[in-house]
Amino acid sequence: QVQLVESGGGLVQPGGSLRLSCAASGSIFSFYVMGWYRQAPGKQRELVAAITSGDSTNYADSVKGRFTISRNNAKNTVYLQMNSLKPEDTAVYYCNARSTVQVLFGQGTQVTVSS
């Protein structure tokens, strides 16, 4: 089974940037949608951004214009470029992959936006 491993989280000041990476242990070619979710303390997990195998993208209203999702099938990796970060972006960010037969999540990476 393919495993997803996130990296790139950390502590950043408001207005700063981070790039998250999600490396899959196998090919992501079969996953028709890959995305990033986040969960803040006391809140439900929410979809942040998603990208299809045809490179169509979808973003939560709260991150439009600030976050960019991309995928590199050759490297089996999905990225989330996060700019103009705000304290309300603080959360654990999870990579997600969906195929016709399975739904996968990674273990998550913490993003903290604070001065």
Side-chain angles (χ1 to χ4, degrees):
Q1 173 157 318
V2 174
Q3 293 185 329
L4 306 175
V5 178
E6 301 96 336
S7 61
L11 173 64
V12 63
Q13 292 186 342
S17 299
L18 282 175
R19 188 175 84 152
L20 304 183
S21 298
C22 171
S25 59
S27 173
I28 63 173
F29 184 78
S30 65
F31 295 105
Y32 60 87
V33 174
M34 296 197 70
W36 289 91
Y37 285 73
R38 68 185 180 188
Q39 188 167 19
K43 295 188 177 181
Q44 290 188 332
R45 189 174 296 189
E46 63 173 354
L47 177 66
V48 175
I51 185 167
T52 70
S53 55
D55 287 337
S56 295
T57 57
N58 182 46
Y59 296 92
D61 288 342
S62 59
V63 307
K64 282 181 181 176
R66 300 189 297 124
F67 290 11
T68 303
I69 188 171
S70 61
R71 64 191 287 170
N72 185 325
N73 289 340
K75 294 185 177 182
N76 298 319
T77 303
V78 177
Y79 305 96
L80 184 67
Q81 178 67 43
M82 305 186 295
N83 298 327
S84 302
L85 282 162
K86 304 176 181 179
E88 50 263 43
D89 294 318
T90 296
V92 178
Y93 284 70
Y94 298 91
C95 182
N96 168 256
R98 298 177 183 270
S99 71
T100 56
V101 296
Q102 59 184 347
V103 177
L104 303 176
F105 280 95
Q107 83 289 350
T109 186
Q110 176 70 45
V111 172
T112 302
V113 185
S114 175
S115 56

